Amino acid sequence: MSTPDVTVVVAVYNTMPYLTECLDSLVVQSIGRERLQVVAVDDGSTDDSGKELDRFAQLYPDVFTVVHQPNSGGPAAPSNRALELATGRFVYFIGSDDHLGEEALERMVACADANESDVIIGKMVGTNGRYVHQKLYTGNRDVTLDDSELPFTLANTKLFRRELVEKYGLRFPEDMPVGSDQPFTIEACVRARKISVLSDYTCYYAVKRGDASNITYRANHLARLRCVQRIMEHTAALIPAGPRRDAVFKRHFDWELTKLLQKDFPALDADTRRQVCQGVGALVDAYFTDGLRDGTGVKRRVRFGLARSGAVEELTRAITEETEHGAPPFLLEGDRAFATYPGFRDPAVGLDDRYYEVRETVVGRLSAGTRLESADWEQHGTELFCVVKLRAGVTGDTSSAVVALAQGAMPQSADKAGARKLPADAARPQRCGTLTPDAAVDGGTLLTARIPLAATRSKRGVRLYVDVAGSTYEIPVRTDGQPMPLARRWGSDEPHRVAASTNSKGRLVITTAPLREPKSGVGARLRRTLSRSKRK
């Protein structure tokens, strides 16, 4: 028998009926069954998975090798057993609840041969609500672990040159219930001469089972913590400290460790919360470099810092309060801004201000914290002002804040997020009227603005402009159901009408327009009455 081009490894445990579609997708591969070996290891299934494997082995005896073994508790042991039986030039791993595109193996083997690549990453998509990171698949190209996208795609569902696997004795750690593919994949990528991405064809369909019984979704906090500890220790032994290691560890801080400190954390028992904090804190101490810290958003950074400080109660409160009420207001101090999460400048916590400092774009947070408290008109002679009281999601030095009528419409892309960061060269509105900080309140600062209105035809949104962390942000003011003042008529030489309203996006808009007076008659008097609101 000639050497097959590719051995597909299938570790199987209770995946019916998904297993059938998986195996069907293998036997119809365009590469041809004469170039294919499938090694499937039944890891003690208690459903009909073992029988289904035997059925395929009977139908395709020249393709399938089936092994049955007692349950090992995870995919590592059956994958290692399959590697012992693999004979293909390349080896490919597939989850037994997933399936392949018909041309996947042919395209990936051809790419590996043409480029002399040791690892091929075929495009993967999620189905049935399964999330799969997509930023890697921007074109057919070569990548390294230094590329920011690759560390977020560390599953073993790739094509590996088997010569590389055997040369370095790559195997899966069998004492890791989840994440056992990451040490294998990371080391293969470190050792590989070339890693190529195939983006122009969907090779792999990752399925989230209807009952969410994939092992990734079932592991508890402590099991996941132990696994990520092992992965990071293994990676640190392979890659010296520096930007390349940081590029890999950014994934683990942004993904695995972040998931341990989300809204389900406060519901854990006290001892489990303490152990999670200890474990995360140890990894922060060991691997959270200044570069990683400064490149991490303030929400995650604070949670890592509180875990490192052993501030379990403050961390619990930070997560609970943000889940229930949203992010805390920003404290402005000159050109610096801080998110006032629990533990901020608390000597008992002892966490450096840099953990709380805002460095990233903060559009969503500023928008969510800015809303209308009231609006009214104020007239002095022929001058008319719109007096707006609003709550801004900042505290401290608000001397740079300006409330004004926008000069133009928000760009549609920015308006979707509710605010935007102004370009560095953008003209900033001049202070108009007066802006008075009334008081600091929970969730921000109350501001009162007196906005002068011009007798001209216009429809303009009320916006708050505020400097945060060295940048200026333009924030539409949400009305949040607050009552609007009655429309007004003002001016004698050229009467105008002014009205305040809520637009389709829920933001405060001021409209002014000339009011043409009809000359005489009952109809004219009636129209004047209808168009005139109360006067002061």
Side-chain angles (χ1 to χ4, degrees):
M1 178 179 176
S2 61
T3 300
D5 279 324
V6 59
T7 296
V8 177
V9 170
V10 193
V12 180
Y13 178 72
N14 287 358
T15 52
M16 289 294 288
Y18 305 96
L19 177 61
T20 302
E21 185 174 11
C22 172
L23 302 179
D24 280 338
S25 77
L26 299 181
V27 297
V28 300
Q29 285 294 301
S30 62
I31 198 170
R33 292 196 286 271
E34 68 281 357
R35 299 171 62 190
L36 174 66
Q37 177 194 29
V38 177
V39 181
V41 179
D42 172 26
D43 196 44
S45 296
T46 58
D47 65 358
D48 290 333
S49 295
K51 293 180 181 178
E52 186 71 341
L53 292 176
D54 291 338
R55 184 175 75 87
F56 271 81
Q58 290 176 350
L59 290 172
Y60 309 101
D62 294 335
V63 176
F64 278 81
T65 299
V66 173
V67 176
H68 299 276
Q69 67 181 32
N71 181 254
S72 65
S79 296
N80 288 338
R81 177 67 177 127
L83 282 174
E84 296 172 6
L85 303 173
T87 60
R89 293 192 300 123
F90 297 93
V91 61
Y92 189 84
F93 299 89
I94 182 173
S96 59
D97 39 14
D98 303 329
H99 54 275
L100 298 184
E102 187 173 341
E103 300 175 18
L105 296 178
E106 182 179 20
R107 286 172 176 259
M108 286 189 286
V109 169
C111 178
D113 285 338
N115 295 336
E116 297 184 343
S117 304
D118 288 333
V119 179
I120 299 290
I121 307 168
K123 183 177 180 180
M124 174 190 290
V125 299
T127 65
N128 199 30
R130 179 84 173 265
Y131 172 77
V132 174
H133 201 73
Q134 292 295 303
K135 291 185 178 179
L136 184 66
Y137 308 116
T138 57
N140 295 350
R141 59 196 176 102
D142 297 332
V143 296
T144 70
L145 277 172
D146 300 76
D147 291 291
S148 59
E149 299 92 352
L150 179 54
F152 285 86
T153 313
L154 292 179
N156 66 337
T157 48
K158 300 170 174 58
L159 187 78
F160 299 91
R161 191 176 297 274
R162 196 166 67 85
E163 181 183 20
L164 174 79
V165 172
E166 296 308 323
K167 177 180 179 179
Y168 293 102
L170 302 184
R171 293 296 186 268
F172 300 90
E174 297 184 11
D175 56 348
M176 289 177 61
V178 294
S180 62
D181 53 347
Q182 286 198 38
F184 181 100
T185 304
I186 291 170
E187 185 162 0
C189 290
V190 169
R191 307 290 191 190
R193 295 169 300 172
K194 185 183 288 187
I195 306 166
S196 299
V197 177
L198 191 65
S199 299
D200 60 355
Y201 180 80
T202 300
C203 294
Y204 195 103
Y205 295 86
V207 178
K208 182 178 180 180
R209 300 182 207 170
D211 59 358
S213 61
N214 310 59
I215 192 168
T216 304
Y217 297 96
R218 292 186 280 114
N220 63 35
H221 280 68
L222 294 179
R224 286 184 282 142
L225 173 62
R226 287 190 291 269
C227 290
V228 74
Q229 287 171 330
R230 289 281 304 280
I231 294 166
M232 296 180 78
E233 289 166 0
H234 182 78
T235 303
L238 289 169
I239 308 174
R244 193 180 187 207
R245 184 198 285 181
D246 282 359
V248 179
F249 282 169
K250 179 173 174 55
R251 173 243 164 84
H252 295 105
F253 281 107
D254 283 1
W255 202 326
E256 283 92 349
L257 293 178
T258 290
K259 287 182 178 180
L260 297 176
L261 304 178
Q262 300 207 52
K263 61 183 179 181
D264 55 354
F265 177 83
L268 301 174
D269 64 82
D271 187 57
T272 300
R273 283 186 285 132
R274 178 187 58 79
Q275 291 185 63
V276 169
C277 277
Q278 284 182 342
V280 172
L283 295 174
V284 169
D285 263 335
Y287 305 124
F288 201 50
T289 62
D290 289 350
L292 282 173
R293 183 198 62 217
D294 293 345
T296 298
V298 67
K299 171 181 173 178
R300 290 171 174 162
R301 195 186 326 124
V302 167
R303 294 183 185 188
F304 294 149
L306 292 174
R308 176 177 176 270
S309 297
V312 180
E313 294 310 312
E314 287 79 5
L315 175 58
T316 302
R317 186 154 50 91
I319 296 171
T320 300
E321 290 178 357
E322 184 153 16
T323 300
E324 295 178 353
H325 307 296
F330 295 136
L331 171 65
L332 304 183
E333 292 183 347
D335 61 355
R336 301 178 74 192
F338 303 91
T340 55
Y341 286 100
F344 178 60
R345 292 179 179 168
D346 183 344
V349 173
L351 198 56
D352 190 281
D353 275 5
R354 288 178 297 176
Y355 277 88
Y356 292 86
E357 188 167 2
V358 178
R359 299 183 182 89
E360 73 276 19
T361 299
V362 292
V363 164
R365 292 165 179 267
L366 290 171
S367 179
T370 301
R371 60 185 184 273
L372 181 70
E373 295 288 320
S374 68
D376 206 348
W377 312 119
E378 182 180 296
Q379 188 165 353
H380 299 283
T382 59
E383 292 187 313
L384 185 66
F385 299 85
C386 181
V387 181
V388 176
K389 293 182 182 291
L390 60 88
R391 180 183 302 231
V394 294
T395 61
D397 182 8
T398 56
S399 59
S400 70
V402 173
V403 177
L405 296 178
Q407 297 300 314
M410 290 280 285
Q412 189 165 351
S413 60
D415 201 36
K416 289 178 181 178
R420 66 166 173 159
K421 179 181 178 179
L422 292 181
D425 58 352
R428 181 191 169 113
Q430 298 297 313
R431 187 179 303 280
C432 54
T434 59
L435 178 66
T436 307
D438 291 342
V441 293
D442 289 341
T445 301
L446 291 178
L447 300 173
T448 299
R450 297 173 68 254
I451 305 171
L453 301 175
T456 184
R457 183 184 296 277
S458 68
K459 184 176 182 179
R460 302 165 72 180
V462 177
R463 309 274 170 79
L464 169 68
Y465 298 82
V466 62
D467 292 339
V468 177
S471 298
T472 300
Y473 292 85
E474 180 184 30
I475 311 159
V477 176
R478 302 190 337 260
T479 60
D480 278 7
Q482 293 291 339
M484 297 292 103
L486 296 175
R488 286 288 295 271
R489 175 187 182 276
W490 100 98
S492 54
D493 295 338
E494 188 178 0
H496 276 68
R497 182 179 184 273
V498 61
S501 61
T502 302
N503 70 6
S504 61
K505 296 181 182 293
R507 286 80 183 257
L508 178 59
V509 172
I510 305 297
T511 304
T512 59
L515 183 64
R516 295 183 178 178
E517 293 278 7
K519 293 182 179 180
S520 62
V522 175
R525 288 195 299 272
L526 179 59
R527 286 191 292 272
R528 284 197 297 271
T529 300
L530 292 175
S531 66
R532 185 181 299 119
S533 301
K534 69 174 185 177
R535 303 186 189 183
K536 289 188 178 180

